[in-house]
Amino acid sequence: MKKIAIAASAVLAVVLLSGFRGGGWGGHRDPERIKQFITWKVDDKLEDLNATDAQKQTVHAVKDRLFEQGKQLAEEHQATRQEVLTQLESDTPDAQRLHSLVDARIDAVRAFAHQVVDAALEVHRALTPEQRKQLATEYREKMDVH
């Protein structure tokens, strides 16, 4: 579950850093390539867990849903960035509007973070206790968490 949660968090990070339109790592990001990479990582982990077809279907549905929600978040973020720029280019930027934009982005990211938690719980329910233990052990080893 932790690996899936990490993958979901990675989706969020990629979405927020790249905005799917540029920035982040200095170029345009292709959402489909990002999704392919995430799918590859999830498939690799599911194979390690000897996941059943039903488990794979559940996890991929969660991944796809989170990806689309993250993509929407990135698109909204891009629009907000443009509005902030427009405000700052103005001779009289609207401070109240700028603060409102910040609040809206924080609320959107908070809502997405809660969706990530719900998704992690959904995946948790789909995995067996042994699979969850395997993920937790791998996570502890990788993160050197004791």
Side-chain angles (χ1 to χ4, degrees), residues 38-71:
I38 293 166
T39 299
W40 173 74
K41 295 294 279 181
V42 169
D43 282 341
D44 187 50
K45 185 47 57 190
L46 289 170
E47 186 175 316
D48 289 348
L49 293 173
N50 295 317
T52 66
D53 288 341
Q55 289 173 320
K56 290 176 185 177
Q57 185 177 8
T58 296
V59 171
H60 278 287
V62 169
K63 173 205 42 113
D64 292 343
R65 184 177 68 242
L66 274 181
F67 184 83
E68 291 306 316
Q69 291 166 342
K71 185 176 166 184

Side-chain angles (χ1 to χ4, degrees), residues 5-145:
I6 290 169
S9 297
V11 171
L12 175 61
V14 167
V15 164
L16 292 178
L17 291 174
S18 72
F20 288 111
R21 295 196 183 156
W25 298 293
H28 294 286
R29 298 286 153 225
D30 176 9
E32 285 308 309
R33 290 203 57 186
I34 294 168
K35 188 174 183 179
Q36 287 173 350
F37 175 77
I38 293 166
T39 299
W40 173 74
K41 295 294 279 181
V42 169
D43 282 341
D44 187 50
K45 185 47 57 190
L46 289 170
E47 186 175 316
D48 289 348
L49 293 173
N50 295 317
T52 66
D53 288 341
Q55 289 173 320
K56 290 176 185 177
Q57 185 177 8
T58 296
V59 171
H60 278 287
V62 169
K63 173 205 42 113
D64 292 343
R65 184 177 68 242
L66 274 181
F67 184 83
E68 291 306 316
Q69 291 166 342
K71 185 176 166 184
Q72 179 65 35
L73 184 69
E75 290 167 358
E76 293 166 1
H77 180 68
Q78 190 68 19
T80 299
R81 288 174 55 182
Q82 184 60 46
E83 187 168 350
V84 167
L85 181 59
T86 299
Q87 284 289 328
L88 295 176
E89 289 175 334
S90 167
D91 289 337
T92 56
D94 182 343
Q96 184 176 359
R97 178 67 183 139
L98 287 168
H99 286 283
S100 177
L101 290 169
V102 169
D103 291 342
R105 295 316 312 144
I106 289 169
D107 290 344
V109 171
R110 180 182 297 112
F112 183 73
H114 284 285
Q115 292 168 342
V116 169
V117 169
D118 290 341
L121 292 170
E122 186 177 344
V123 169
H124 182 272
R125 288 188 300 272
L127 299 177
T128 67
E130 295 81 20
Q131 290 168 322
R132 293 191 302 261
K133 184 177 180 183
Q134 181 181 343
L135 286 176
T137 299
E138 290 174 14
Y139 178 78
R140 285 183 186 280
E141 289 171 359
K142 230 175 213 179
M143 298 301 181
D144 196 32
V145 176

